[in-house]
Amino acid sequence: MDYRRRQSRLQQLYATHQVDALLVTHLPNVRYLTGFTGSAAVLLASAKPLFFTDGRYREQAAVQVRGAKVVIPHGSAFSAAAKACHGQRVARLGVEADRMPLSQFQALRRELGKGVKIVPLSGVVEGLRAVKEPSEIRLIRQAIQLSSDLFPALLKALKPGQTEISAAARLEYLARRAGAEAMSFETIIASGKRSALPHGLASPAHLPEQGFVVLDYGVVSQGYCSDMTRTVHLGRATAKERSLYAAVLEAQLAATEAVRPGATCGEVDAAARRVLRRVGLAKFFTHSTGHGVGLEIHEPPRVGAKSDAILEAGMVITIEPGAYLPGRYGVRIEDMVLVTSRGSEVLTPVDKALIELL
Ligand code: ZN
Ligand code: ZN
């Protein structure tokens, strides 16, 4: 990873935002810009970048941090950063407005005094992160491969009478065994009526003899997240269940087809919604079509109805329409998709035909 290059691309944006430096406090952004993976750090991304952490991370920072001088201050990182702003004649300091608690903002303002203006900014580093470098795409592919390879074992763990949590435990154990650093979010295993919950975390509910099971999970591998959903059926699916599945799959394929550089995220979302509207299911599709994935499980761009973000080659997004019939059952199908120079490449290698576990 070329951290210096990332930081110089960031600094090219300062003129537009009318700042002299950005105080980076969101840890995934600090990681993106310096390589540091620890849990406490602040980066003053200025012409002379300074990286602040505490004594616990002295050795780790010395090994990991690139493109910034490491400082272990005696007091707080914020007062050290404020002093550095004065030293470097920073007159306008950008902060990550969505990532800064009010108490931190107040402390920073106190430390900076009148000489430095704080400029609240949103999504500046996230904007850079949205377009992945080839080395990042390689890591994302590896995370996807790791989680996809676990899918057959997850299916084996789905036994009627077992709890959703025990199936999740099996999956998560195998993920760690295969080298995952963590799950990228709390595993969703939602069976029977619970499959109608778009965000049904694995619960103590017992898997039924008959019914859908929504399986939505991902791993973190070398810092990068994966995210996939498959909905399988315990026992034989009824004709109605099959037609719901077929409609969601058609929506998923239509949205994937709409992914290309230059398309807006809203257009991709509309492609999925159009299919479901035609069969009267649009009102049961209650969330966005997808989201960016990378160092974080949810990151820009958001693929939703109101999103005018424009897709660019190198972006990695999910395509995950669903339809949820309250009190009955639901289906979601999710792949990760790379925006390529010509269109898109589906990165998730797991088949999407309906699986019935008999
Ligand atoms: Zn997911
Ligand atoms: Zn997702």
Side-chain angles (χ1 to χ4, degrees):
M1 306 289 176
D2 189 344
Y3 300 105
R4 277 172 217 283
R5 189 172 152 269
R6 289 177 179 174
Q7 287 195 44
S8 77
R9 287 182 58 219
L10 173 65
Q11 289 183 20
Q12 285 163 19
L13 303 172
Y14 288 175
T16 318
H17 295 296
Q18 301 189 311
V19 294
D20 304 312
L22 178 68
L23 192 66
V24 184
T25 50
H26 186 48
L27 287 168
N29 289 343
V30 173
R31 177 176 186 156
Y32 182 76
L33 294 168
T34 67
F36 180 72
T37 62
S39 66
V42 172
L43 174 69
L44 178 64
S46 62
K48 287 183 185 163
L50 294 174
F51 172 96
F52 303 94
T53 186
D54 61 58
R56 293 172 300 163
Y57 286 118
R58 188 182 297 275
E59 286 182 45
Q60 186 176 332
V63 173
Q64 290 183 329
V65 173
R66 295 286 173 270
K69 189 181 164 204
V70 175
V71 181
I72 317 263
H74 291 299
S76 86
F78 285 94
S79 61
K83 278 197 194 77
C85 283
H86 292 132
Q88 296 190 16
R89 302 193 178 286
V90 170
R92 295 175 61 87
L93 176 66
V95 297
E96 300 187 291
D98 304 320
R99 314 296 190 175
M100 180 171 273
L102 185 56
S103 57
Q104 262 180 20
F105 173 80
Q106 288 168 329
L108 183 66
R109 196 167 54 181
R110 244 187 342 263
E111 298 281 355
L112 285 171
K114 287 222 166 67
V116 183
K117 180 159 174 47
I118 298 177
V119 182
L121 298 175
S122 271
V124 180
V125 182
E126 287 85 345
L128 296 176
R129 281 171 46 197
V131 178
K132 272 66 181 174
E133 298 160 1
S135 56
E136 294 183 284
I137 294 169
R138 269 197 299 281
L139 296 178
I140 289 171
R141 283 182 196 277
Q142 287 171 18
I144 292 172
Q145 193 63 51
L146 195 162
S147 49
S148 299
D149 286 347
L150 299 169
F151 188 66
L154 173 57
L155 293 186
K156 280 208 187 99
L158 298 178
K159 294 266 182 286
Q162 296 259 4
T163 65
E164 294 168 352
I165 284 177
S166 74
R170 180 80 188 141
L171 170 73
E172 293 173 11
Y173 171 73
L174 292 173
R176 296 286 271 171
R177 282 282 301 259
E181 288 151 23
M183 304 309 284
S184 51
F185 55 92
E186 283 187 83
T187 300
I188 289 175
I189 296 185
S191 64
K193 283 183 182 171
R194 295 190 76 254
S195 63
L197 306 173
H199 208 246
L201 298 181
S203 80
H206 295 268
L207 298 172
E209 296 283 337
Q210 292 278 334
F212 280 125
V213 189
V214 175
L215 308 161
D216 186 353
Y217 69 97
V219 300
V220 183
S221 165
Q222 300 168 87
Y224 284 82
C225 296
S226 70
D227 187 5
M228 69 175 273
T229 307
R230 290 292 181 271
T231 301
V232 301
H233 198 277
L234 291 166
R236 289 247 180 259
T238 64
K240 278 188 175 163
E241 287 171 330
R242 285 176 168 283
S243 72
L244 182 72
Y245 189 92
V248 172
L249 180 54
E250 194 188 336
Q252 206 273 345
L253 296 172
T256 305
E257 193 66 32
V259 173
R260 55 176 172 77
T264 69
C265 287
E267 288 163 9
V268 173
D269 183 90
R273 243 164 263 281
R274 199 176 303 127
V275 171
L276 293 173
R277 191 172 305 119
R278 209 182 55 219
V279 289
L281 290 170
K283 63 177 176 295
F284 301 115
F285 176 23
T286 47
H287 53 76
S288 301
T289 293
H291 53 88
V293 186
L295 287 171
E296 290 179 276
I297 184 62
H298 292 120
E299 55 179 54
R302 198 177 74 81
V303 186
K306 290 183 190 122
S307 172
D308 52 10
I310 293 170
L311 293 175
E312 291 177 50
M315 287 180 169
V316 174
I317 58 172
T318 68
I319 298 293
E320 52 176 307
Y324 313 92
L325 310 182
R328 294 168 67 199
Y329 48 77
V331 171
R332 177 167 66 259
I333 302 169
E334 172 181 32
D335 283 333
M336 282 172 67
V337 175
L338 169 67
V339 185
T340 64
S341 55
R342 294 176 171 200
S344 71
E345 178 191 344
V346 176
L347 299 177
T348 309
V350 179
D351 197 75
K352 291 189 283 270
L354 177 62
I355 294 172
E356 294 175 311
L357 298 169
L358 302 173

